[in-house]
Amino acid sequence: MRLEVRVFSGLEKYIPGARFGQAIEVERPEGTTLADLVDSLGIPRDQVFAALVNGRHAPLDRVLQPGDRVSLFPPVGGG
Amino acid sequence: MPVSKFLRVNTATREVKFEEVPEKYLILGGRALTSQLVFDEVPPTCNPLGPFNKLVIAPGMLSGTNAPSSGRMSVGGKSPLTGGIKEANAGGIASQKLANLGIKAIILEGKPQGNDWYLLKVTPAGAELIPANDLAGKGTYEVTAICRERYGPKVAVITIGPAGEMLLPAAGVTNNDSDGNSSRYAGRGGLGAVMGSKKIKAIVVDSPTTFDAPLKEAERFKAAARKFTQILQEHPVTSKGLPNYGTNVLMNIINEAGALPTRNFHFGRFERAAEVSGEKLAEIAVARGGKATHPCHPGCVMRCSNIYPLPNGKVCAPIEYESAWALGPNLEIDSLDVIGQLNYLCNDYGLDTIETGVTLGVLMEAGVIPFGDGEAAIKALEEVARGTPLGRIIGSGAATAGRVYGVTHVPVVKGQGLPAYDPRGCKGIGVTYATSPMGADHTAGYAVTANILKVGGYVDPHKPEGQVELSRDLQVATAFLDSTGFCLFVAFAVLDNPEGMPTICDLISAKYGISFTVDDALELGKRVLKAEREFNLKAGFTSADDRLPEFFKLEQLPPHNTVFDVRDEDLDQVFNF
């Protein structure tokens, strides 16, 4: 299945050619979890502080669905 | 060591005097002090620009010590924007200097006759009013530069721009960072107009020391300060997130969460948000010889500011998230250079960036300026300094602009523009916007933490359940933190570390030689909120003022298609303590 991944705030350094905010299209088998995706992208799990799937927070064991928009963040804050 | 004093300035008689601090105010500082003094001394029904309002400027309880990130300053009074009580909180270097001079608060009162402007000069030798007609009409950057040339290169300059002189209700009070940038604003609620009504153009604060405010128990204080520094350096947000990309690191996560108010609060995502985000800002700032990280005052360990060189040779330092949003995605503007220019002009004219951005959004809604047209926005904003009718409308805030142009889609509460989180996509912050005595103010109870940033637990941002409790707890804790002089951002670490609050209380105990507990801290927070609520009630506010504009209940926000559905009767339970 096809997934749309975005990485931000420094996580892009783990993915060659990636740029913050730019959608990366990836193919993964059905049943792939968020944790599987993070591992397969080469991002250490402890660097992912917040993961959004279609704009909603999701736990790492979430089973992803075709076409999901996945956004990965390190710790961020401000205001 | 200086004894703690109030510096009271009667602007009608031009009498300047130092007063002993009455016992009830002795340990208070920051918001607790400004709000209590306003409550005690300002009639709630007074005209905010008349003789009975007062402008109170107070360093925090711990400002001027070596507690990390404790140099915030509170400015208070009755707000000409909301008609209620106001505390606006700023970084910059004035707070630490005031505290080192032993000044607990500056109180500007009365109303002068005539058109002469004055400057209040405060040094270790005393305080005096100096004629300042030569500074009138000048922008804040120039005023600050002139004052630092005249009175010393390290002085702090608290000042207003032309907007404050014109008594416009979106005018803020600014002071400068160590580099002399007059960009550290007590921005919200029109307190710049209150200062303008007192005919005080600037307050120059000259102190030889920064970290030497008196401590009752110095050794204990030092140990607690070290521990608090460590707490900030251990939390991922205060040690990495904020220092790396500044507050504008929020742009992308709020956008991805679908809560980024876009096109005057019509959409929750802006497709070009990454172009105006903290990541992009850091790239450009560094490439142009600016800085991606910078402290607003000495002794800050989070250093969330930045220095953004503009194409026109000027420097906007910093561009914060709220400003980047208000002047960017809110207007469908996707250029940091345009945002930086608008931000610089707001700083120079003496305007609150949030209120100005929200007002420009309403003008775009009305068709006065096209959405996305940065050049038109800059031209319109430039009219503020010239005092044209359109300029004065922009400086009067979003509620006024909506009335003038017949716009109903106006995002304000108590007359104050909403900040950078749509309450339909982040309902906890919606509760804070609706109920804070300050009007729509994100800092008053920053529920974005648990709703979106996953700090201090997690409360689903789309569900109404749990938001009232979340907002209440945060509003109480914030009323306390705003009184300490600590930057509110210490809350990111304090919320997740059980030792955070006890360490802050330990610092207060050691500074004042008292026994101050976490219960005392929460009690103080509640007392501040009660005084502020009471002031507003006496000023004529009712529960009808604790509501969001109705379009947030009626119009769904894409992409999640949610509405704000926290019930009115639940909003009325926020202050049930």
Side-chain angles (χ1 to χ4, degrees), chain B residues 338-415:
Chain B
V338 172
I339 290 167
Q341 285 179 69
L342 289 166
N343 194 339
Y344 181 93
L345 291 177
C346 285
N347 291 347
D348 201 32
Y349 300 161
L351 288 169
D352 174 24
T353 51
I354 297 176
E355 195 64 42
T356 302
V358 175
T359 306
L360 288 171
V362 168
L363 291 175
M364 289 181 171
E365 181 93 27
V368 178
I369 312 167
F371 273 108
D373 191 338
E375 289 312 309
I378 290 169
K379 277 210 174 75
L381 185 55
E382 284 171 344
E383 295 202 28
V384 178
R386 297 202 300 275
T388 67
L390 178 63
R392 285 172 187 270
I393 290 168
I394 292 171
S396 295
T400 295
R403 280 190 204 103
V404 172
Y405 287 98
V407 176
T408 55
H409 197 97
V410 179
V412 297
V413 175
K414 299 180 178 70

Side-chain angles (χ1 to χ4, degrees), chain B residues 81-411:
Chain B
L81 187 74
T82 68
I85 198 166
K86 174 58 64 178
E87 183 262 357
N89 191 289
I93 62 173
S95 182
Q96 291 166 313
K97 289 183 189 290
L98 286 171
N100 274 261
L101 293 175
I103 293 173
K104 197 95 180 147
I106 297 176
I107 304 164
L108 304 181
E109 58 190 28
K111 179 151 175 117
Q113 304 290 319
N115 288 316
D116 289 327
W117 289 92
Y118 286 87
L119 175 150
L120 176 66
K121 187 177 147 202
V122 189
T123 71
E128 60 178 322
L129 283 174
I130 298 171
N133 284 336
D134 59 326
L135 299 178
K138 293 195 187 317
T140 66
Y141 287 98
E142 189 181 355
V143 168
T144 303
I146 291 172
C147 288
R148 280 163 75 94
E149 201 179 301
R150 275 183 203 165
Y151 303 110
K154 290 185 175 171
V155 299
V157 183
I158 302 168
T159 187
I160 57 172
E165 293 180 38
M166 285 187 264
L167 310 184
L168 298 176
V173 175
T174 187
N175 82 116
N176 55 287
D177 62 15
S178 300
D179 303 328
N181 292 297
S182 63
S183 55
R184 313 308 319 190
Y185 263 84
R188 308 233 64 194
L191 293 173
V194 178
M195 189 159 153
S197 75
K198 308 298 183 202
K199 291 281 178 186
I200 301 295
K201 175 68 176 173
I203 301 170
V204 170
V205 187
D206 187 4
S207 164
T209 59
T210 302
F211 301 114
D212 296 344
L215 305 170
K216 279 273 165 43
E217 300 170 47
E219 286 312 310
R220 181 181 174 193
F221 190 93
K222 267 187 219 159
R226 265 197 304 275
K227 184 169 175 188
F228 198 64
T229 302
Q230 200 180 350
I231 288 170
L232 295 179
Q233 287 174 339
E234 280 170 1
H235 193 275
V237 169
T238 46
S239 69
K240 293 194 189 76
L242 280 167
N244 288 349
Y245 296 104
T247 57
N248 199 15
V249 74
L250 286 178
M251 186 68 75
N252 284 314
I253 193 166
I254 304 301
N255 187 53
E256 288 303 307
L260 185 74
T262 301
R263 198 180 168 96
N264 185 33
F265 289 78
H266 283 286
F267 304 101
R269 267 202 197 129
F270 182 52
E271 60 181 25
R272 301 185 295 283
E275 289 304 300
V276 296
S277 67
E279 290 92 323
K280 179 83 176 185
L281 193 160
E283 270 184 9
I284 299 177
V286 170
R288 291 184 186 164
K291 283 183 182 166
T293 181
H294 179 257
C296 80
H297 66 270
C300 183
V301 296
M302 295 179 285
R303 302 169 57 91
C304 71
S305 270
N306 53 68
I307 297 177
Y308 187 90
L310 292 165
N312 63 9
K314 297 196 161 105
V315 170
C316 189
I319 299 178
E320 300 287 3
Y321 168 62
E322 300 294 329
S323 308
W325 159 77
L327 305 166
N330 184 48
L331 310 179
E332 291 192 322
I333 287 174
D334 61 1
S335 155
L336 275 170
D337 284 345
V338 172
I339 290 167
Q341 285 179 69
L342 289 166
N343 194 339
Y344 181 93
L345 291 177
C346 285
N347 291 347
D348 201 32
Y349 300 161
L351 288 169
D352 174 24
T353 51
I354 297 176
E355 195 64 42
T356 302
V358 175
T359 306
L360 288 171
V362 168
L363 291 175
M364 289 181 171
E365 181 93 27
V368 178
I369 312 167
F371 273 108
D373 191 338
E375 289 312 309
I378 290 169
K379 277 210 174 75
L381 185 55
E382 284 171 344
E383 295 202 28
V384 178
R386 297 202 300 275
T388 67
L390 178 63
R392 285 172 187 270
I393 290 168
I394 292 171
S396 295
T400 295
R403 280 190 204 103
V404 172
Y405 287 98
V407 176
T408 55
H409 197 97
V410 179

Side-chain angles (χ1 to χ4, degrees), chain A residues 9 19 56-57 69 71 79, chain B residues 256 279 283 442 452 460:
Chain A
S9 315
R19 185 162 167 76
R56 307 276 285 142
H57 277 288
R69 172 174 177 152
S71 318
Chain B
E256 288 303 307
E279 290 92 323
E283 270 184 9
H442 62 295
I452 293 176
D460 188 327

